[in-house]
Amino acid sequence: MALITLQLGQCGNQIGYELFDVICNDFYSNGLCSKKENHNYQTVCKERFFDEMESGEIVSRAVLLDMEPKVITQTLAMAARSGKWMYDVKSQFSQKQGSGNNWAHGYCVHGPKYEDLVMNLVRKQVEKCDRLGGFFNIMSMAGGTGSGMGTFITKCLRDAYPNSFLLNEVIWPYGTGEVIVQNYNSILTLSRLYQTSDALLVHENDIIHKICSQLMNIKHITFKDVNKVIAHQLGSVFQPAYTTESSYYSRNPLGELMECLVPHPEFKMLGLRNIPQMSEHSLAYSTFTWHGLIKHLRQMLIANAKMEEGINWQVQPPLHPKTEKSSLKTGLQFNRSLANLAIFRGKDIDSASPDGFRESALYTSWLSSDEAFTSWKTPRAFNKYEKSATLVSNSQCLLKPLDAIVEKAWNMFASKAYVHQYTKYGIDEEEFLQCFTTLEQVISSYSNL
Amino acid sequence: MTQSIVVQVGQCGNQIGCRFWDLALREHAAVNKKGIYDEALCSFFRNVDTRTESVTPDVHRGKICSLKARAVLIDMEEGVVNEILQGPLRDLFDSKQLITDVSGSGNNWAVGHKLYGSQYREHIVENLRRTAEQCDCLQCFFVIHSMGGGTGSGLGTFVLSVLEDEYPEVYRFVTSVYPSTEDDVITSPYNSVLAMKELTDHADCVLPIENQSLVDIVNKIVQMANSGKLGSVKQNSFLTSNKGGVKETEKPFDAMNNIVANLLLNLTSSARFEGQLNMDLNEITMNLVPFPHLHYLTSSLTPLYTLADVNIPTRRLDQMFSDAFNKDHQLIRADPKHNLYLACALMVRGNVHISDLRRNIERLVSERKPSKCLLVKNTHVT
């Protein structure tokens, strides 16, 4: 099934480009596996992300949206230069003037104004698909266009395609120093998306930045590096894999992802971690065993570490789930999950045994561990890593950042700072309060897991 | 790409404007080697084929034919404007862009605001309309004027209210030059106070600049250059020098005016050029104006001296971030370290990596205990 990617705003477009680049490079590599295997994999991968022209060129199934022309022009040119794939030049929309970091400007002004044009572009992409698997929207939470317009477009997609799956990739801003109104924009985005989207896949800039500096050993980190890591992680989820026990590649990645990970509409925040992640130079000198990778990944999950470095090995799942109530304040905190999906790619895949994830102490009481844990496998290696494991989890791991962002926004809201900029475009205080209520509800649901 | 119009009012406004256009041309000349009229140039200049006599449509693509500034020049005397028209920048402006009178406002705010305001209103509106019609997406007006005199403060603030009436959607950025404490104009306190009220009511964003701090900065640069203590300091600071410009003889205020012109260029650089992290002009008001009417922004520039060594070592870079908060680098005589920031933005230009930015932001936030939010943008390399 085909996935349609919507690249929204500056951040969305930059990440979208890197994602297609990673997928395309992976597509053309031999994948360290048998020819037949590789052929099947490539067929599925191509249908998922690309449309093949008669001339044999592959064109990404993407819609590019931004209010400023600069980034889109850059992105289109970069793709054309790569020579391997390209964007459909008609499938883009840009205007002259940005949203100026104002969520309300994107949501209430630009969104409704250009709704028809944008939905038309989306429809054209949809018509090109034999089977539509769903929509994947990439956007940031901090800016104006990505977050505001992105939220609006998500709502429109929900209305126009009520039966399709909708996954939003949201980029969590740095804790400080990106945009002053980022907290407002974030809570508005999150609370609205929580009502319309099927699931939110979250990447935190702070953590990706740390991965770049500590694991990848990059001295001068640029946004391109950060985006590359995000693209790699996304690619490792969305590239084809065998779902449990079946012998054909999963045809419906979004549907099956939701089926595994979103058992309840109140819980739809997904976190992603992968292992190994390292610079290309050290990759050549490293070997991994499945046992080691899985053991690390499991501890990363329960200790809520986002990197394989500096994991706290002290944290263990509680022996008596009923007696220990987790609270936000304790230092040694166990990260309880609702559902997990592990994806293993690479050599000797049969020896990988993810039994460590099936322990019932990891999960909530109302879902048995057999239902809560799923694993996908493929013997084909991904993106130069001989073996790699990715874990998508619906767990408490996003509780802390969410709590922090709501608190910061509330502090600003208490003194009514910047509110006038939003009322100007039609978001009044009442709507802010509703957003706070929605998110407080989410926080309390997750903390009571 | 969006466009901006510069409205320069009064003697001071026109002198700064003159330096601004000179520097803007030089900046584009340094980036744009091929002589193609591109998107970046389009924001402040239009490209006209002057060979045809009639109403010339703008040339949108291709070679630069003849650049015209998107500007309106207003003065109630003829001196400064005439000087510009006879100077090397004369081709940038045509006579339709000018509004002049002969008698001046006599340092009286009321004369500028009330008398000339009502007299020239139609003329001003007409002139602005013509300039605005030449833009396909007008985003911003930059008004440059002084606070102490009559024309700049009186008529300048009048123009501001006209802009609000006629173009409520377009942002109004005002650069106001405040008089020094010992000013030679005795009515300057009155004029400034009267103008301040208008600024508070009608501007979106005000960048106050104090003459005295400009003098201090210029003196410091001259001192540094002459002392030769650091062999690494170039003779001419980029901020103040006229080197490479069209005008060879320096006028007394040129060094000071260049600082202001640079401030405006750096402020808009991100909107004009492509970069890793683009910033639009409307993001400035969005992030820096937490409450309506609290839209006075103090500005600072760093580094003040051009170093001979282009590759800035890390410590120099960190020093640069700290300097931005130092009172010697402010364009208004205030010490921000001992006051409270409501919001502040660091605009970084050049080859600076995100990791350097992150490190410095974290450092600055931790030094300033009541951690105020910072907005940082990385911009085009020039």
Side-chain angles (χ1 to χ4, degrees):
Chain A
M1 284 202 184
L3 278 182
I4 292 177
T5 308
L6 268 76
Q7 308 183 172
L8 298 150
Q10 176 166 8
C11 167
N13 277 297
Q14 284 171 345
I15 292 176
Y17 165 78
E18 296 297 342
L19 175 65
F20 282 111
D21 202 49
V22 162
I23 284 172
C24 189
N25 284 334
D26 183 50
F27 174 75
Y28 281 116
S29 71
N30 62 14
L32 310 166
C33 65
S34 71
K35 250 202 173 123
K36 184 166 161 275
E37 188 67 58
N38 199 28
H39 179 73
N40 288 343
Y41 181 89
Q42 283 177 339
T43 318
V44 178
C45 168
K46 189 157 61 181
E47 191 202 349
R48 219 170 256 188
F49 293 101
F50 298 100
D51 182 33
E52 197 169 8
M53 307 283 280
E54 278 170 23
S55 54
E57 283 163 321
I58 52 175
V59 180
S60 66
R61 300 185 194 275
V63 181
L64 289 78
L65 287 182
D66 198 358
M67 287 294 113
E68 276 184 305
K70 279 182 276 193
V71 179
I72 288 195
T73 324
Q74 240 174 2
T75 315
L76 289 176
M78 277 198 299
R81 264 206 305 274
S82 79
K84 293 174 186 160
W85 63 282
M86 53 186 181
Y87 282 110
D88 181 354
V89 277
K90 279 186 237 134
S91 184
Q92 53 125 336
F93 176 79
S94 65
Q95 284 294 308
K96 302 222 164 226
Q97 189 169 350
S99 309
N101 288 336
N102 191 332
W103 190 88
H105 198 198
Y107 187 85
C108 305
V109 180
H110 285 151
K113 195 166 162 193
Y114 304 118
E115 180 186 350
D116 293 343
L117 287 165
V118 173
M119 292 311 282
N120 218 359
L121 290 178
V122 173
R123 188 177 48 78
K124 282 193 185 130
Q125 284 296 329
V126 170
E127 282 167 2
K128 281 191 203 163
C129 307
D130 293 337
R131 295 169 290 184
L132 176 66
F135 298 95
F136 183 52
N137 306 341
I138 310 177
M139 56 204 257
S140 72
M141 295 202 309
T145 306
S147 67
M149 178 113 179
T151 312
F152 183 82
I153 294 298
T154 310
K155 195 181 81 173
C156 297
L157 286 175
R158 176 49 83 221
D159 291 343
Y161 305 91
N163 298 320
S164 292
F165 291 106
L166 265 177
L167 177 66
N168 281 63
E169 156 75 19
V170 289
I171 307 299
W172 207 279
Y174 285 105
T176 51
E178 217 173 312
V179 177
I180 296 177
V181 287
Q182 64 184 28
N183 301 319
Y184 279 166
N185 291 340
S186 301
I187 57 150
L188 288 163
T189 310
L190 283 174
S191 64
R192 293 300 167 96
L193 285 182
Y194 225 81
Q195 286 151 15
T196 47
S197 186
D198 286 320
L200 311 176
L201 190 56
V202 176
H203 272 103
E204 291 165 82
N205 263 346
D206 275 317
I207 284 159
I208 308 289
H209 195 95
K210 254 188 218 157
I211 291 181
C212 280
S213 70
Q214 292 178 18
L215 298 181
M216 312 286 282
N217 253 329
I218 303 170
K219 281 252 161 56
H220 298 290
I221 299 165
T222 59
F223 270 113
K224 201 170 174 61
D225 300 314
V226 174
N227 293 342
K228 274 198 160 123
V229 172
I230 297 176
H232 172 81
Q233 295 198 340
L234 289 176
S236 71
V237 176
F238 290 112
Q239 283 292 52
Y242 295 113
T243 49
T244 7
E245 281 140 45
S246 59
S247 56
Y248 56 88
Y249 276 116
S250 151
R251 291 280 178 186
N252 184 4
L254 282 190
E256 285 175 48
L257 188 88
M258 308 288 180
E259 186 196 329
C260 311
L261 288 170
V262 192
H264 191 289
E266 180 62 29
F267 303 94
K268 41 173 110 165
M269 303 262 275
L270 310 181
L272 222 174
R273 51 204 97 206
N274 72 331
I275 185 171
Q277 180 94 52
M278 55 176 58
S279 69
E280 257 176 61
H281 305 291
S282 23
L283 196 60
Y285 307 101
S286 316
T287 51
F288 304 99
T289 61
W290 280 117
H291 179 72
L293 287 180
I294 289 170
K295 195 173 155 202
H296 269 82
L297 197 59
R298 177 176 180 271
Q299 193 62 31
M300 274 161 76
L301 171 71
I302 58 182
N304 195 12
K306 296 289 165 66
M307 290 192 289
E308 54 196 289
E309 238 175 61
I311 308 176
N312 187 349
W313 289 92
Q314 307 296 316
V315 182
Q316 285 304 324
L319 297 172
H320 308 288
K322 287 279 175 292
T323 53
E324 271 180 79
K325 265 277 175 221
S326 58
S327 81
L328 274 171
K329 281 160 192 86
T330 50
L332 274 183
Q333 211 220 319
F334 163 65
N335 179 31
R336 189 181 297 282
S337 339
L338 191 68
N340 284 314
L341 164 68
I343 302 157
F344 306 107
R345 299 171 183 277
K347 235 165 64 173
D348 306 326
I349 192 69
D350 296 328
S351 66
S353 129
D355 285 338
F357 288 107
R358 294 195 199 280
E359 213 175 302
S360 61
L362 296 181
Y363 300 96
T364 67
S365 51
W366 47 269
L367 213 60
S368 82
S369 59
D370 284 337
E371 286 151 0
F373 178 73
T374 327
S375 72
W376 296 351
K377 290 175 181 180
T378 170
R380 192 188 187 276
F382 173 69
N383 202 12
K384 297 180 196 124
Y385 291 88
E386 191 188 59
K387 290 173 186 149
S388 62
T390 310
L391 185 77
V392 192
S393 56
N394 190 346
S395 69
Q396 293 175 321
C397 63
L398 289 164
L399 205 49
K400 244 188 204 155
L402 183 63
D403 202 51
I405 224 162
V406 171
E407 193 190 319
K408 277 187 201 160
W410 182 254
N411 283 344
M412 265 163 77
F413 188 71
S415 59
K416 298 281 183 286
Y418 295 102
V419 176
H420 74 285
Q421 309 265 26
Y422 290 83
T423 21
K424 195 164 70 179
Y425 294 109
I427 294 289
D428 54 14
E429 291 179 21
E430 192 61 30
E431 293 191 56
F432 269 101
L433 288 173
Q434 271 172 17
C435 291
F436 283 115
T437 326
T438 316
L439 292 180
E440 288 293 349
Q441 181 60 41
V442 173
I443 292 174
S444 93
S445 307
Y446 268 105
S447 24
N448 290 326
L449 268 185
Chain B
M1 191 77 81
T2 55
Q3 286 95 35
S4 306
I5 294 177
V6 178
V7 184
Q8 35 200 67
V9 192
Q11 180 172 1
C12 170
N14 278 301
Q15 279 172 345
I16 292 176
C18 172
R19 301 314 311 146
F20 171 79
W21 292 110
D22 185 10
L23 289 172
L25 279 176
R26 272 195 270 162
E27 186 188 78
H28 282 290
V31 180
N32 191 338
K33 298 278 184 216
K34 289 193 191 129
I36 303 287
Y37 179 71
D38 58 4
E39 294 267 281
L41 260 172
C42 165
S43 53
F44 279 121
F45 297 95
R46 53 196 190 98
N47 195 14
V48 187
D49 196 342
T50 43
R51 285 169 300 183
T52 49
E53 269 303 304
S54 59
V55 189
T56 46
D58 290 12
V59 185
H60 283 293
R61 299 248 159 258
K63 288 256 174 229
I64 294 173
C65 303
S66 149
L67 291 175
K68 293 281 176 198
R70 298 188 195 276
V72 177
L73 284 68
I74 304 173
D75 199 357
M76 292 296 111
E77 293 171 338
E78 285 179 314
V80 181
V81 174
N82 277 345
E83 206 174 290
I84 294 174
L85 289 182
Q86 282 152 16
L89 289 172
R90 61 180 171 271
D91 290 337
L92 271 181
F93 312 100
D94 54 36
S95 53
K96 285 181 199 154
Q97 286 170 290
L98 314 175
I99 299 172
T100 50
D101 200 316
V102 279
S103 50
S105 310
N107 289 330
N108 187 336
W109 186 86
V111 172
H113 195 84
K114 303 284 180 194
L115 196 68
Y116 284 122
S118 46
Q119 190 181 338
Y120 280 92
R121 193 188 149 102
E122 295 301 310
H123 200 156
I124 292 170
V125 169
E126 173 66 17
N127 238 321
L128 287 169
R129 186 187 54 76
R130 203 178 314 115
T131 320
E133 276 172 1
Q134 286 153 350
C135 307
D136 55 349
C137 182
L138 177 62
Q139 186 178 30
C140 211
F141 285 108
F142 286 94
V143 181
I144 311 174
H145 70 134
S146 68
M147 299 293 275
T151 311
S153 72
L155 196 56
T157 47
F158 179 78
V159 170
L160 199 62
S161 59
V162 169
L163 287 176
E164 196 189 25
D165 287 346
E166 300 283 323
Y167 308 90
E169 299 284 299
V170 181
Y171 290 92
R172 296 170 298 279
F173 279 59
V174 186
T175 311
S176 314
V177 178
Y178 280 66
S180 337
T181 18
E182 57 276 353
D183 197 73
D184 46 357
V185 180
I186 197 134
T187 48
S188 71
Y190 278 158
N191 294 339
S192 306
V193 169
L194 289 163
M196 274 282 271
K197 181 191 175 290
E198 297 290 317
L199 288 182
T200 312
D201 288 346
H202 302 300
D204 279 311
C205 220
V206 183
L207 302 164
I209 285 160
E210 207 175 331
N211 254 333
Q212 193 55 46
S213 20
L214 296 181
V215 173
D216 290 349
I217 289 174
V218 171
N219 285 341
K220 208 176 307 142
I221 293 171
V222 171
Q223 202 186 355
M224 277 301 262
N226 290 342
S227 71
K229 180 176 64 182
L230 298 166
S232 55
V233 178
K234 265 192 193 165
Q235 268 304 311
N236 281 313
S237 164
F238 172 70
L239 271 181
T240 52
S241 88
N242 267 337
K243 216 175 115 200
V246 283
K247 208 153 67 168
E248 286 306 324
T249 49
E250 277 199 36
K251 292 234 167 57
F253 285 110
D254 274 359
M256 285 156 67
N257 291 341
N258 274 336
I259 297 176
V260 184
N262 263 305
L263 171 74
L264 286 177
L265 282 175
N266 289 337
L267 196 72
T268 53
S269 69
S270 182
R272 287 179 291 149
F273 299 105
E274 275 176 20
Q276 259 195 333
L277 191 56
N278 294 323
M279 188 182 64
D280 216 352
L281 289 172
N282 47 9
E283 291 177 20
I284 297 176
T285 43
M286 178 67 196
N287 284 294
L288 293 179
V289 185
F291 301 100
H293 300 316
L294 298 187
H295 54 234
Y296 289 87
L297 313 177
T298 61
S299 39
S300 62
L301 283 170
T302 168
L304 296 177
Y305 333 102
T306 325
L307 291 173
D309 185 12
V310 184
N311 295 317
I312 315 163
T314 321
R315 250 193 66 227
R316 271 298 306 176
L317 189 74
D318 290 6
Q319 184 60 41
M320 207 168 77
F321 278 90
S322 309
D323 279 349
F325 295 90
N326 194 322
K327 75 175 198 304
D328 293 341
H329 288 250
Q330 307 295 323
L331 298 193
I332 185 163
R333 284 221 287 175
D335 188 1
K337 273 193 178 154
H338 294 108
N339 290 296
L340 181 75
Y341 272 105
L342 276 176
C344 77
L346 290 164
M347 278 167 231
V348 187
R349 201 173 174 184
N351 191 14
V352 182
H353 298 280
I354 306 297
S355 43
D356 297 328
L357 285 181
R358 301 297 324 160
R359 190 183 61 243
N360 280 295
I361 294 168
E362 269 152 35
R363 185 172 58 88
L364 292 169
V365 169
S366 65
E367 275 175 17
R368 237 159 289 283
K369 265 292 167 253
S371 78
K372 284 298 139 193
C373 316
L374 292 149
L375 157 84
V376 168
K377 298 290 171 168
N378 189 14
T379 332
H380 184 71
V381 184
T382 39

